[in-house]
Coordinates of all heavy atoms in Angstrom, one line a residue:
A103 N -122.6 -50.4 -128.3 CA -122.8 -51.5 -127.3 C -123.5 -51.0 -126.1 O -124.4 -51.6 -125.5 CB -121.4 -52.1 -126.9
I104 N -123.2 -49.7 -125.7 CA -123.9 -49.1 -124.5 C -124.2 -47.7 -124.9 O -123.4 -46.9 -125.5 CB -122.9 -49.1 -123.3 CG1 -122.6 -50.5 -122.9 CG2 -123.5 -48.3 -122.2 CD1 -121.5 -50.6 -121.8
E105 N -125.4 -47.3 -124.5 CA -125.9 -45.9 -124.7 C -126.6 -45.4 -123.4 O -127.6 -46.0 -123.1 CB -126.8 -45.8 -125.9 CG -127.1 -44.3 -126.3 CD -128.0 -44.2 -127.5 OE1 -128.1 -45.3 -128.2 OE2 -128.4 -43.1 -127.9
I106 N -126.0 -44.4 -122.8 CA -126.6 -43.9 -121.5 C -127.1 -42.5 -121.7 O -126.3 -41.7 -122.2 CB -125.6 -44.0 -120.4 CG1 -125.1 -45.4 -120.1 CG2 -126.2 -43.4 -119.1 CD1 -123.9 -45.5 -119.2
K107 N -128.3 -42.2 -121.3 CA -128.8 -40.8 -121.5 C -129.4 -40.4 -120.2 O -130.3 -41.0 -119.6 CB -129.9 -40.8 -122.6 CG -129.3 -41.0 -124.0 CD -130.4 -40.7 -125.0 CE -129.9 -40.9 -126.5 NZ -130.9 -40.7 -127.5
N108 N -128.9 -39.2 -119.7 CA -129.4 -38.5 -118.6 C -129.6 -39.4 -117.3 O -130.6 -39.3 -116.6 CB -130.8 -37.9 -118.9 CG -130.7 -36.9 -120.1 OD1 -129.8 -36.2 -120.2 ND2 -131.7 -37.0 -121.0
L109 N -128.6 -40.2 -117.1 CA -128.6 -41.1 -115.9 C -128.3 -40.3 -114.6 O -127.3 -39.6 -114.6 CB -127.6 -42.2 -116.1 CG -127.3 -43.1 -114.9 CD1 -128.5 -43.9 -114.5 CD2 -126.1 -44.0 -115.2
T110 N -129.1 -40.5 -113.6 CA -128.8 -39.9 -112.3 C -129.1 -41.0 -111.2 O -130.0 -41.8 -111.3 CB -129.7 -38.7 -112.0 OG1 -131.1 -39.1 -112.0 CG2 -129.5 -37.6 -113.1
K111 N -128.4 -40.9 -110.1 CA -128.6 -41.7 -108.9 C -128.1 -40.9 -107.7 O -127.0 -40.5 -107.7 CB -127.9 -43.0 -109.0 CG -127.9 -43.9 -107.8 CD -129.3 -44.4 -107.5 CE -129.4 -45.2 -106.3 NZ -130.8 -45.7 -105.9
R112 N -129.0 -40.7 -106.7 CA -128.6 -40.0 -105.5 C -128.8 -40.9 -104.3 O -129.7 -41.6 -104.2 CB -129.6 -38.8 -105.3 CG -129.3 -38.0 -104.1 CD -130.2 -36.8 -104.0 NE -129.8 -35.8 -104.9 CZ -128.8 -34.9 -104.8 NH1 -128.1 -34.9 -103.6 NH2 -128.5 -34.0 -105.7
Y113 N -127.8 -40.8 -103.4 CA -127.8 -41.5 -102.1 C -128.0 -40.4 -101.0 O -127.0 -39.9 -100.5 CB -126.5 -42.3 -101.9 CG -126.3 -43.5 -102.8 CD1 -125.5 -43.4 -103.9 CD2 -127.0 -44.7 -102.6 CE1 -125.3 -44.5 -104.8 CE2 -126.8 -45.8 -103.4 CZ -126.0 -45.6 -104.5 OH -125.8 -46.7 -105.4
D114 N -129.2 -40.1 -100.7 CA -129.5 -39.1 -99.8 C -128.7 -37.8 -100.1 O -128.6 -37.4 -101.2 CB -129.3 -39.6 -98.3 CG -130.2 -40.7 -98.0 OD1 -131.3 -40.7 -98.4 OD2 -129.8 -41.7 -97.3
D115 N -128.0 -37.3 -99.1 CA -127.1 -36.2 -99.3 C -125.6 -36.6 -99.4 O -124.7 -35.7 -99.4 CB -127.3 -35.1 -98.2 CG -128.6 -34.5 -98.2 OD1 -129.2 -34.4 -99.3 OD2 -129.2 -34.2 -97.1
L116 N -125.4 -37.9 -99.4 CA -124.0 -38.4 -99.3 C -123.3 -38.3 -100.7 O -122.1 -38.0 -100.8 CB -124.0 -39.8 -98.8 CG -124.5 -40.0 -97.4 CD1 -124.5 -41.5 -97.0 CD2 -123.7 -39.2 -96.4
F117 N -124.0 -38.7 -101.8 CA -123.4 -38.8 -103.1 C -124.5 -38.7 -104.2 O -125.6 -39.2 -104.0 CB -122.6 -40.1 -103.2 CG -122.1 -40.3 -104.6 CD1 -120.9 -39.7 -105.0 CD2 -122.7 -41.2 -105.5 CE1 -120.4 -39.9 -106.2 CE2 -122.1 -41.4 -106.8 CZ -121.0 -40.7 -107.1
S118 N -124.1 -38.1 -105.2 CA -125.0 -38.0 -106.4 C -124.2 -38.3 -107.7 O -123.2 -37.7 -107.9 CB -125.6 -36.5 -106.5 OG -126.4 -36.4 -107.6
L119 N -124.8 -39.2 -108.5 CA -124.2 -39.5 -109.8 C -125.1 -38.9 -110.8 O -126.3 -39.0 -110.9 CB -124.2 -41.0 -110.0 CG -123.7 -41.5 -111.4 CD1 -122.2 -41.4 -111.5 CD2 -124.1 -43.0 -111.6
G120 N -124.4 -38.1 -111.7 CA -125.1 -37.6 -112.9 C -125.1 -36.1 -112.9 O -124.6 -35.4 -112.0
T121 N -125.6 -35.6 -114.0 CA -126.3 -36.4 -115.1 C -125.3 -37.0 -116.1 O -124.4 -36.3 -116.6 CB -127.2 -35.4 -115.9 OG1 -128.2 -34.8 -115.0 CG2 -128.0 -36.1 -117.0
I122 N -125.4 -38.3 -116.3 CA -124.4 -39.0 -117.1 C -125.0 -39.3 -118.5 O -126.0 -39.9 -118.7 CB -124.0 -40.4 -116.5 CG1 -123.4 -40.2 -115.1 CG2 -123.1 -41.2 -117.4 CD1 -122.1 -39.5 -115.1
N123 N -124.2 -38.9 -119.5 CA -124.5 -39.2 -120.9 C -123.2 -39.8 -121.5 O -122.1 -39.2 -121.5 CB -124.9 -38.0 -121.7 CG -126.2 -37.4 -121.3 OD1 -127.3 -38.0 -121.7 ND2 -126.2 -36.4 -120.5
M124 N -123.3 -41.1 -122.0 CA -122.1 -41.8 -122.5 C -122.5 -42.8 -123.5 O -123.5 -43.4 -123.4 CB -121.5 -42.5 -121.3 CG -120.1 -43.2 -121.6 SD -119.3 -43.8 -120.1 CE -120.3 -45.2 -119.7
T125 N -121.7 -42.9 -124.6 CA -121.9 -43.8 -125.6 C -120.6 -44.6 -125.8 O -119.5 -44.1 -125.9 CB -122.2 -43.1 -126.9 OG1 -123.5 -42.4 -126.8 CG2 -122.4 -44.2 -128.1
I126 N -120.8 -45.9 -125.9 CA -119.6 -46.8 -126.1 C -119.9 -47.6 -127.4 O -120.8 -48.5 -127.4 CB -119.4 -47.8 -124.9 CG1 -119.1 -47.0 -123.7 CG2 -118.3 -48.8 -125.3 CD1 -118.9 -47.8 -122.4
P127 N -119.1 -47.3 -128.5 CA -119.3 -48.1 -129.7 C -118.9 -49.6 -129.6 O -118.0 -49.9 -128.8 CB -118.4 -47.4 -130.7 CG -118.1 -46.0 -130.1 CD -118.2 -46.3 -128.6

């Protein structure tokens, strides 16, 4: 249903998401 590869998101120096790899069957 969902496949995420190498997802990143940065908010300046406050917060960083990633690197996210996730699969949801």
Side-chain angles (χ1 to χ4, degrees):
I104 297 174
E105 187 175 354
I106 301 171
K107 289 186 178 180
N108 302 319
L109 170 64
T110 64
K111 174 65 179 179
R112 177 178 289 277
Y113 293 100
D114 298 323
D115 294 327
L116 300 176
F117 176 77
S118 177
L119 177 73
T121 303
I122 299 293
N123 290 283
M124 184 172 75
T125 299
I126 298 178

